[in-house]
Amino acid sequence: MQLRDPAHLVSPRAIVYWTVRAVPLWVLVLAGESFWLWSSPDHPGLPVTVLILTVLFAAAHLIVMPRWRYRVHRWELTATAVYTQSGWLSQERRIAPISRVQTVDTERGPLEQLFRLANVTVTTASAAGPLRIQGLDRATAEGLVAELTESTGHSQGDAT
Amino acid sequence: MSMIGGDRDDGRDDSWRRLSARMLLVHPVRELGQAIPALVGLVLAGRAVSDGQMWWLAPLGVLVVIALSVLRWMTTRYRITPEQVQLRTGLLQRKTIVTPADRVRSVDVTASALHRLLGLAKVEIGTGSHDPGSGLSLDSLPVAEAAGLRAELLHRSAAASAQTDTSRATSETASDTISATPGAGFAAAGPVLPTAAPAQRETELARLDPRWVRFAPFTMSGVLGAAAILALGSRFLDQTGFSAGDVGPIREGLGYVQRTPVWLDILLGLVALLVLVTVLSIGGYVLSYWGFRLMRHPRGTLHVSRGLVTTRATSIEERRLRGVELTEPLLLRAVRAARLGGITTGLTSRGSSDGGSSLLLPPAPHAVASDVAALILRDPTPVDVALTAHGPAARRRRYARSLFAAFVLIAAAVVGIVLGAPLWLAAPAIMTVPVAVMLAADRYRSLGHAIAGSFLVTRAGSLDRRRDMLECEGIIGWNVRQSFFQRRSALATLTATTAAGRQRYAVTDVPLSLALPLANRALPGLLGEFLVPSRQD
């Protein structure tokens, strides 16, 4: 017995989104190392080595991470459950029954708006259980929210 | 949770009740205590400004504090209707807090030493909301009224929700009489009731045996409590400008220490520390748990009462109770002891979920803890069931993680020695290897899971080993997490999410081939549509 992948991929634009989102951190790290190099002009050996390694590492991360994520990040909504998969090195699958869904949020940050993406967060009564689907096409996200709202409206009880 | 501001002045009928007038003796005393720094400031300011002419500032301050307490008593009223609990406070800014009775999840009755002297108790009504301002606190009522109120609230709430909530069948249907329950927390030496008591009597599930005090030194809270008292004491001494070296006996003691060899000093210091920790932890145990009793009311509530100076009585509705945690940290395990905590919806807003309100049994013999857990769950199987081990891959992972930490320490020590640190630094670093091996072995031994009756049982940890017994019905989703290394060894951490207790109960490093059938059995149907036969089947 094994758990199959959720049915749907996210939008391919998410690859660019994840890449751009990861850039600022690397820029910050590289800036710090450049400052180190600048402040010790007498012994440039070590800072230069570190700088080159960081550039290589950053390039590898920026190339591999978004594509890997794109292959992993998936979602599915059925009549009874929401099922998501996310991560890259560390991966997580989350399943919640529709009957226990409490809120459905959709959010578009400035960067996501730039790439016409949206993310959807489905929460249950447990603080440990929010299901977050990143990098959805805006239309898909709206459709998903509408569908979820429709199907959760039918279930009753306080979902605890 | 609704906070209705404004003044709905329809409630001047006689069902509005006041807090006890004796509270007027509690509040000014306590508030004067809190106001002392300000009052001292006033006195000093009065002196400084006009050479004693402003002497009346301080008495005025005292008067204002007292007047405010009186005013608060006069303006605070509460009322309990069949549907709601209402609390009105404030003179200029009237505030009415309304809580639906069926949202009442716990009722705590606490009484500090001052309260007890005056025969008062404070009632705190928990609603399970994560918003800290939404709970109701009635400070204070006469003891009998507080106990009665607790019974009334819980039973109303049980009755109000009996029609809507079918999650846990209590043995009683909603009946109209409110039982004349003696306040469980305050009838300190009540008779031990037989199990087959009449329907309206409480059953005792557990009671503190004074011999359990011997476990106190083996609790972390005992050690931490001792440390906290020491820290407070030294800060207090610092602030009063007291220098230990000025006191004759201490000076002589220091002189003695300087004359004797170092190993003897360390030994004596350790013995002194041991004695101190023992004494303080026993003190702490007695203070918090003296008179501990766990009672079950047939209407479906558990009552916990305990405390020596400050007494505390907590009531938990059984339909909010989703399971029990049996905690056995290494030290307690060494003396075959364990403690119990409840997995409850609606008590998490009190901060730590393993302390405070959800305590169901203080450190007690393991056998007693098991029996009490079985009584609480009404099913002995989750406690007794043999757990399924997680296999060789999980064992390798325990060793790998544990030894990795040890090797990091050794590497750090090597680097330190190369850079000129003393050579003996290597000894403690190497000593971490056997410790790591033992820890890994114990961590693997702890690891296990089972489905027993209607409960998911999972156990993990060494220094802080915990056996969680969670009602499957309380599970509201699954998280299956696999790190890079877990994927390589076909392991996963299966987490059951729930609205109760810690919100997440994990089955750590379980082979994927066991995890999925486990999840499927615990909550049939949810996973089914996503499961496919493995490739190798």
Side-chain angles (χ1 to χ4, degrees):
Chain A
M1 215 185 323
Q2 68 180 30
L3 212 52
R4 66 168 169 79
D5 286 342
H8 311 292
L9 288 167
V10 298
S11 163
R13 287 194 302 274
I15 297 181
V16 197
Y17 164 67
W18 283 317
T19 314
V20 173
R21 201 182 59 170
V23 164
L25 184 71
W26 286 116
V27 168
L28 214 66
V29 172
L30 288 174
E33 288 174 3
S34 307
F35 179 75
W36 181 24
L37 178 63
W38 175 77
S39 61
S40 57
D42 304 337
H43 314 279
L46 188 61
V48 165
T49 318
V50 170
L51 199 63
I52 290 172
L53 282 178
T54 311
V55 168
L56 290 176
F57 201 74
H61 179 249
L62 292 177
I63 291 168
V64 171
M65 181 274 291
R67 280 156 192 83
W68 195 340
R69 270 193 191 282
Y70 179 66
R71 287 175 54 189
V72 174
H73 281 243
R74 285 167 161 269
W75 63 275
E76 184 171 348
L77 174 67
T78 71
T80 53
V82 196
Y83 178 24
T84 65
Q85 176 174 295
S86 63
W88 58 299
L89 272 176
S90 213
Q91 298 176 5
E92 189 165 51
R93 287 163 156 169
R94 294 186 167 195
I95 302 163
I98 294 284
S99 58
R100 303 304 183 100
V101 169
Q102 285 197 325
T103 64
V104 182
D105 298 343
T106 175
E107 202 180 70
R108 292 194 300 265
L111 199 57
E112 285 166 310
Q113 289 193 33
L114 198 66
F115 294 104
R116 285 172 291 126
L117 295 171
N119 66 63
V120 173
T121 305
V122 180
T123 62
T124 63
S126 169
L131 287 81
R132 194 162 285 125
I133 314 169
Q134 289 182 350
L136 285 174
D137 187 66
R138 202 179 288 179
T140 319
E142 276 161 19
L144 175 63
V145 171
E147 212 177 323
L148 267 169
T149 320
E150 167 71 19
S151 48
T152 52
H154 295 311
S155 52
Q156 291 164 347
D158 68 347
T160 58
Chain B
M1 217 40 24
S2 47
M3 303 262 285
I4 298 172
D7 38 5
R8 300 188 341 180
D9 225 2
D10 50 12
R12 214 150 253 287
D13 61 55
D14 47 8
S15 66
W16 281 99
R17 305 179 221 173
R18 271 208 173 127
L19 302 175
S20 166
R22 273 173 280 169
M23 161 202 151
L24 290 174
L25 291 172
V26 176
H27 280 271
V29 169
R30 200 163 47 197
E31 264 152 42
L32 277 177
Q34 284 167 1
I36 277 176
L39 289 175
V40 169
L42 277 180
V43 170
L44 292 181
R47 278 221 186 122
V49 167
S50 51
D51 220 3
Q53 282 188 13
M54 307 275 274
W55 59 268
W56 45 268
L57 265 180
L60 185 72
V62 173
L63 279 180
V64 166
V65 169
I66 292 175
L68 283 177
S69 313
V70 174
L71 210 61
R72 195 161 71 179
W73 175 76
M74 286 173 63
T75 54
T76 303
R77 276 148 203 263
Y78 71 97
R79 157 166 98 160
I80 295 163
T81 72
E83 297 86 29
Q84 289 179 332
V85 185
Q86 304 173 356
L87 175 71
R88 298 169 60 175
T89 55
L91 178 68
L92 296 175
Q93 193 180 353
R94 300 294 292 270
K95 194 166 80 172
T96 307
I97 303 178
V98 180
T99 293
D102 62 347
R103 290 284 175 81
V104 173
R105 297 192 173 182
S106 69
V107 179
D108 278 17
V109 180
T110 49
S112 69
L114 194 57
H115 282 99
R116 291 179 71 190
L117 209 64
L118 297 165
L120 296 176
K122 177 172 158 190
V123 178
E124 281 168 295
I125 301 168
T127 54
S129 164
H130 291 273
D131 179 10
S134 65
L136 264 72
S137 171
L138 303 175
D139 187 8
S140 309
L141 303 175
V143 166
E145 205 178 321
L149 181 65
R150 187 185 61 186
E152 188 181 352
L153 272 175
L154 286 168
H155 298 153
R156 276 195 195 211
S157 115
S161 47
Q163 300 121 17
T164 55
D165 194 316
T166 52
S167 64
R168 190 185 254 274
T170 50
S171 55
E172 292 262 324
T173 49
S175 84
D176 48 2
T177 52
I178 290 157
S179 69
T181 310
F186 303 98
V192 183
L193 301 173
T195 338
Q200 289 303 307
R201 303 300 298 276
E202 294 185 329
T203 329
E204 184 178 89
L205 302 185
R207 162 196 287 265
L208 185 88
D209 181 336
R211 282 173 299 174
W212 298 351
V213 167
R214 69 180 187 273
F215 300 126
F218 300 94
T219 58
M220 215 47 214
S221 55
V223 177
L224 290 180
I229 289 174
L230 278 183
L232 264 181
S234 73
R235 250 191 69 192
F236 177 73
L237 290 183
D238 273 357
Q239 281 184 354
T240 49
F242 171 88
S243 168
D246 295 343
V247 179
I250 294 179
R251 196 169 50 223
E252 279 162 31
L254 284 175
Y256 173 75
V257 166
Q258 277 156 11
R259 272 178 270 117
T260 50
V262 176
W263 64 266
L264 191 65
D265 293 343
I266 293 178
L267 195 71
L268 284 175
L270 280 178
V271 169
L273 195 69
L274 215 62
V275 170
L276 190 75
V277 166
T278 307
V279 169
L280 288 178
S281 60
I282 286 176
Y285 191 100
V286 169
L287 276 181
S288 340
Y289 303 129
W290 196 254
F292 168 87
R293 274 173 105 203
L294 173 64
M295 312 284 290
R296 166 178 280 146
H297 192 278
R299 286 269 190 86
T301 47
L302 292 175
H303 299 322
V304 179
S305 52
R306 61 193 174 92
L308 182 67
V309 179
T310 296
T311 56
R312 169 183 269 272
T314 309
S315 300
I316 304 165
E317 275 186 87
E318 283 192 77
R319 64 193 180 91
R320 306 277 181 203
L321 190 74
R322 291 302 191 183
V324 167
E325 296 173 354
L326 182 103
T327 315
E328 25 177 12
L330 194 61
L331 282 175
L332 273 184
R333 202 144 35 103
V335 289
R336 296 222 184 95
R339 59 172 197 271
L340 292 179
I343 300 175
T344 323
T345 53
L347 293 179
T348 43
S349 55
R350 289 179 180 280
S352 71
S353 53
D354 55 351
S357 285
S358 75
L359 174 116
L360 290 178
L361 189 73
H366 192 280
V368 174
S370 298
D371 290 348
V372 173
L375 282 174
I376 295 169
L377 300 175
R378 299 172 196 270
D379 184 358
T381 48
V383 192
D384 300 333
V385 71
L387 301 181
T388 309
H390 290 184
R395 182 201 301 257
R396 273 198 303 279
R397 221 170 120 71
R398 298 272 81 73
Y399 280 97
R401 291 177 62 157
S402 186
L403 285 173
F404 180 73
F407 287 136
V408 166
L409 279 176
I410 289 179
V414 167
V415 169
I417 288 168
V418 167
L419 292 178
L423 200 61
W424 58 260
L425 212 62
I430 290 170
M431 276 304 291
T432 56
V433 173
V435 173
V437 168
M438 283 191 289
L439 200 66
D442 191 48
R443 276 166 64 80
Y444 176 69
R445 257 202 309 279
S446 297
L447 222 50
H449 69 268
I451 299 258
S454 58
F455 291 86
L456 169 70
V457 184
T458 165
R459 192 178 68 181
S462 168
L463 295 178
D464 202 7
R465 180 156 104 176
R466 213 175 68 221
R467 183 190 183 108
D468 299 322
M469 293 162 271
L470 176 68
E471 200 175 15
C472 294
E473 205 180 274
I475 298 173
I476 57 177
W478 295 106
N479 298 349
V480 185
R481 188 174 183 82
Q482 287 189 291
S483 72
F484 182 71
F485 294 108
Q486 277 178 317
R487 276 205 305 283
R488 283 173 56 104
S489 42
L491 296 176
T493 295
L494 175 74
T495 304
T497 65
T498 171
R502 294 167 199 273
Q503 312 279 303
R504 65 179 76 223
Y505 289 89
V507 186
T508 309
D509 280 340
V510 59
L512 212 51
S513 57
L514 292 177
L516 299 176
L518 175 73
N520 206 22
R521 263 185 73 200
L523 211 62
L526 178 58
L527 239 52
E529 55 186 323
F530 305 118
L531 290 173
V532 290
S534 316
R535 274 166 233 129
Q536 59 264 39
D537 286 357

